[in-house]
Amino acid sequence: FMGDITKKFNYVVDLIIKENVQIRHNALESCRMIVNRQLHHSLGMNYLFVLRVYPHHILRENKMLAGAGADRMQKGMQQAFGRPIGLAARVKKGQAIFSVYTNKEHLEQAKRALDKARPRMPGQFSINIEEVKN
């Protein structure tokens, strides 16, 4: 959670994915930083920013040597578990990635801040605005 967790807000703005993808942890962190910075500069503390997914899936890579004599130095695909190279969040179609809770007068700034996250992640996104039922 980033922003003010004690206030009650009337609206929620969600960044929703339109397809099944894996989003790497560094892409999520880049988006989190840029959106939070944009919200803090434009809204002060009149928002609550929530990251809805967690990168728990371990990405692995079995590096293969190339060049002359490489076939005698490794086992190929035999016991090819691979080394961890990063983490990713598996995201389903229609799932919210980020949510921004705010009031009606700040909806446009929240929408603009979430727009900045789109080019930093794979896939197609839509922005959904809903009224919060208290």
Side-chain angles (χ1 to χ4, degrees):
F1 297 103
M2 286 148 272
D4 193 350
I5 59 172
T6 59
K7 285 186 185 175
K8 297 286 184 201
F9 297 104
N10 300 333
Y11 286 87
V12 60
V13 184
D14 292 322
L15 184 67
I16 296 175
I17 188 85
K18 291 183 178 178
E19 54 195 280
N20 297 336
V21 293
Q22 285 190 141
I23 304 174
R24 297 206 36 171
H25 70 285
N26 50 359
L28 285 171
E29 179 64 11
S30 169
C31 293
R32 183 196 66 81
M33 287 173 59
I34 197 75
V35 171
N36 192 45
R37 186 178 303 129
Q38 184 79 21
L39 288 169
H40 190 70
H41 284 306
S42 61
L43 304 181
M45 288 300 282
N46 293 320
Y47 70 95
L48 175 63
F49 178 50
V50 181
L51 174 62
R52 297 285 182 151
V53 296
Y54 185 80
H56 65 275
H57 181 72
I58 299 171
L59 300 174
R60 297 182 173 275
E61 180 180 56
N62 181 32
K63 289 190 177 175
M64 303 291 278
L65 294 174
D71 55 333
R72 291 181 292 281
M73 298 178 74
Q74 64 189 136
K75 294 183 176 185
M77 292 306 289
Q78 180 182 352
Q79 297 179 349
F81 191 57
R83 293 212 165 119
I85 59 167
L87 296 170
R90 287 190 173 175
V91 185
K92 303 255 189 263
K93 179 181 179 180
Q95 187 175 349
I97 309 290
F98 297 111
S99 294
V100 178
Y101 292 87
T102 188
N103 293 319
K104 189 169 187 169
E105 61 268 14
H106 303 300
L107 284 177
E108 203 54 45
Q109 289 98 329
K111 192 174 171 184
R112 222 173 304 129
L114 286 177
D115 248 347
K116 300 244 181 202
R118 284 186 195 204
R120 290 171 170 80
M121 290 188 291
Q124 302 260 323
F125 295 92
S126 64
I127 293 177
N128 189 23
I129 300 172
E130 287 184 23
E131 195 166 350
V132 176
K133 296 168 179 74
N134 292 329

